[in-house]
Amino acid sequence: MSDARWIEVDDELESACRHFDNAAKIYDEGGFDSPALAGYKMRMALLHAMQSAHTSLEAALKRILGILGEELPAGDQAHADLIRRVAKIVTAPGHERPAILPADVARDVDESRRFPHRAIHDYDNFEPERALPSIEAARRLAMSLRPAIASFREVVDPPRVKGP
């Protein structure tokens, strides 16, 4: 390993994958319309799991950009810009790199970013059926993020081969 900062990237990815996986399991369990506290707990658990997953993933992507020496997107569209950036091949003078995420994985990341807007009109009006595209993206992300980042890392920061 040539850059120890990948340790933190791996930790953030592990967190994101765990939260995406558990969000899908919470969705499958249902109970969002249960009366009183039980339904509230299920809604909040799903909302928090999806938010935590996407936040951890964004942190991993920002750490990768830091390793590469790239400035972070800023401004009102920073979250969407981050996803677009990591899905692009960069060919700037003195800095070239492949896309960090393949297009299909980037689409799922963007869907996870859209989750609050898709499923929630306000926190007291959660519509589980509208969340299904984001949940399906979460299922795929739980499985696809680690290999996608590992493939990228092998290109930009290959393991060092120890000589005899």
Side-chain angles (χ1 to χ4, degrees), residues 16-151:
C17 291
R18 183 179 67 252
H19 290 305
F20 279 130
D21 183 52
N22 285 327
K25 289 175 182 173
I26 291 167
Y27 184 87
D28 293 343
E29 192 172 311
F32 305 110
D33 294 329
S34 296
L37 189 57
Y40 175 82
K41 284 180 180 179
M42 293 306 290
R43 288 188 304 275
M44 291 299 109
L46 178 60
L47 298 173
H48 185 69
M50 286 294 287
Q51 179 182 2
S52 296
H54 189 79
T55 300
S56 294
L57 176 54
E58 278 194 350
L61 296 173
K62 288 176 181 179
R63 287 178 185 276
I64 293 169
L65 292 180
I67 291 168
L68 300 172
E70 291 184 32
E71 290 184 29
L72 298 178
D76 293 343
Q77 299 297 314
H79 298 285
D81 290 345
L82 176 64
I83 297 166
R84 280 191 293 275
R85 168 99 63 87
V86 302
K88 282 185 179 181
I89 296 169
V90 173
T91 54
H95 181 67
E96 293 187 18
R97 66 155 172 82
I100 296 169
L101 296 177
D104 60 329
V105 176
R107 278 191 299 276
D108 284 341
V109 172
D110 195 46
E111 181 59 43
S112 77
R113 179 186 67 82
R114 295 172 192 253
F115 171 76
H117 305 289
R118 180 181 291 283
I120 307 161
H121 297 292
D122 60 52
Y123 283 100
D124 290 329
N125 190 17
F126 173 63
E127 298 178 34
E129 63 282 354
R130 291 182 52 137
L132 190 55
S134 297
I135 298 303
E136 293 304 324
R139 288 183 211 287
R140 290 187 296 270
L141 288 168
M143 303 302 294
S144 65
L145 284 172
R146 286 185 206 94
I149 298 298
S151 292

Side-chain angles (χ1 to χ4, degrees), residues 5-15 149 153:
R5 292 177 291 176
W6 286 103
I7 294 168
E8 289 81 22
V9 170
D10 291 342
D11 290 346
E12 296 286 5
L13 281 175
E14 182 62 33
S15 177
I149 298 298
R153 182 178 173 183

